[in-house]
Amino acid sequence: MTTTTTRTDGVAEYLEQVRRHLADLPDDERADLLEDLEDHLTELCAEFDDGLEAHLGTPERYAEELRASAGLADLAPRSRFGALADAVVASRPIVRLRHASRAVQDLPVYGRARHFADELRPGWWVLRGYLLALAAQVVTDAGEYSYPIPRFMGRRSLGLVMVAVAVYASIGLAHRGDRGRRWRLLAVAATVVALIAAVHAGSLIDDAAYQWSHSGGYVEYVYPSDGLYGVNGPITNIYPYTVDGERLENVLLYDQNGNPVEISPYGVSDTEYDLYRYEGGTPTTMGQPYYGYGDPPLTIDDRPVYNLFPLPTPEPFPTLPGD
Amino acid sequence: MDTTQLLKGVLDLAVLAVLDQEDAYGYEILRRLREAGLEDVGDASVYGTLRRLFRAGHLTSYVVPSEEGPHRKYYAINPSGRHLLDISSKTWDTFAGTMHQLLTPEEVGA
């Protein structure tokens, strides 16, 4: 009686260990597989006089053999989510996409592009370090953003040190990427922060250009189709002379394409535009041509002529330097 | 050469062949396989194979009460299993023949 109890205990223990080694299987699979294993093992016990392990090997090996022969080896660590992921990967569009990408990878151009991208990587690591230093100001200088040279504790010189450290860290991070998941995650995080900093810096560049153009810099809006510009600035009138110094009037001017050369008030800057004020059809400002808004002085075949020079103006012909 | 690797591929066929002769319970099948010369076959492999073939619908099972010891679960081959056995044994014959020719080339010319 005692021996029988011991044997049955041996079965229970062995079965329990096998069960534990199959714990990762889905519940229903495991239950089905082990359904009559207890009966089976008890039966075996009756055949052998010495313990189960002497005949069957360790419970662990037994479990692995069971798993393999029952065709559950592939099923092993799959959760429901894992199974879904497998189904997606095996689905037709994804498979096609994979084939397509493999075809692209076979092209020689892909190899060259890949090689080129690889050569660019160290450059990106340096840039990433710099961008991280820019981003670090959010912490170190409470959002006081200095660009293009970052500040550290309010000082640009320390900011440069910070750039150097960040570049060193970024390169180090790139080389540790293959040391494990944690390093890779860190590298991805650094890249995300750097990209955000890049977008932010990009907007700062726009701001800087805008501020520059509205403060120190002088930007003139010129409409090339309207008006005339010379090296001395906008041209508001043309006075033709012959080489003998004789004034010419009523001269029609055309450009190289046969288009009439016209001077319109749009050809000059906003400030000068203000000079074109008319009261009752006559210009109030001396020296400015008075048409452009008003009626042209001349029409040819009922078409207005704006390229007749000099434009009518109260101002007399200028005195030439040679006179 | 490690026979366990070879066994993996043909264990289905071996188990079906044993059951085609006579219904049997787990340990009996193992014993008959070993008696036939497949000494490396493991108990877990036979048990796992039986469960898989049963689930796939190639076997039926029934419990026979035993006077001494536990009840025994007998497995029997059904038409689906017999069909599988038929196909598998033809595949095996072709494969074995090919391997045999490959390993004894002088017989090819004869």
Side-chain angles (χ1 to χ4, degrees), chain A residues 254-320:
Chain A
Y254 295 90
D255 68 11
Q256 68 284 352
N257 296 319
N259 296 319
V261 173
E262 294 175 357
I263 292 177
S264 86
Y266 300 110
V268 294
S269 72
D270 288 353
T271 344
E272 276 154 309
Y273 169 81
D274 289 338
L275 298 174
Y276 292 84
R277 257 184 262 127
Y278 292 86
E279 280 165 14
T282 23
T284 54
T285 316
M286 294 287 281
Q288 301 298 331
Y290 66 78
Y291 74 77
Y293 283 135
D295 295 327
L298 187 69
T299 53
I300 297 172
D301 296 336
D302 286 339
R303 283 173 54 201
V305 175
Y306 287 107
N307 61 332
L308 188 69
F309 292 94
L311 301 172
T313 160
E315 189 91 330
F317 267 62
T319 314
L320 293 181

Side-chain angles (χ1 to χ4, degrees), chain A residues 64-189:
Chain A
E64 290 320 304
E65 210 178 316
L66 260 186
R67 190 200 292 274
S69 59
L72 298 174
D74 300 336
L75 208 68
R78 285 278 154 232
S79 60
R80 218 163 275 181
F81 178 76
L84 183 70
D86 282 352
V88 169
V89 167
S91 69
R92 192 166 289 195
I94 299 294
V95 168
R96 274 203 200 130
L97 208 63
R98 230 177 6 235
H99 285 317
S101 88
R102 212 166 294 150
V104 169
Q105 284 173 23
D106 286 342
L107 295 175
V109 162
Y110 176 84
R112 282 199 291 274
R114 183 72 203 264
H115 181 70
F116 183 61
D118 280 349
E119 299 209 311
L120 282 181
R121 285 180 72 201
W124 160 241
W125 298 336
V126 172
L127 181 63
R128 181 173 64 180
Y130 168 70
L131 290 170
L132 284 173
L134 281 185
Q137 293 180 94
V138 173
V139 181
T140 60
D141 286 64
E144 281 284 330
Y145 211 83
S146 164
Y147 175 86
I149 299 172
R151 263 192 287 248
F152 183 73
M153 312 288 280
R155 289 172 63 180
R156 286 219 160 98
S157 53
L158 290 176
L160 284 174
V161 175
M162 181 164 69
V163 169
V165 170
V167 167
Y168 182 79
S170 171
I171 293 173
L173 204 56
H175 287 306
R176 278 190 185 82
D178 47 5
R179 276 210 207 156
R181 248 184 87 192
R182 205 167 292 176
W183 285 108
R184 258 200 309 280
L185 276 177
L186 203 60
V188 169

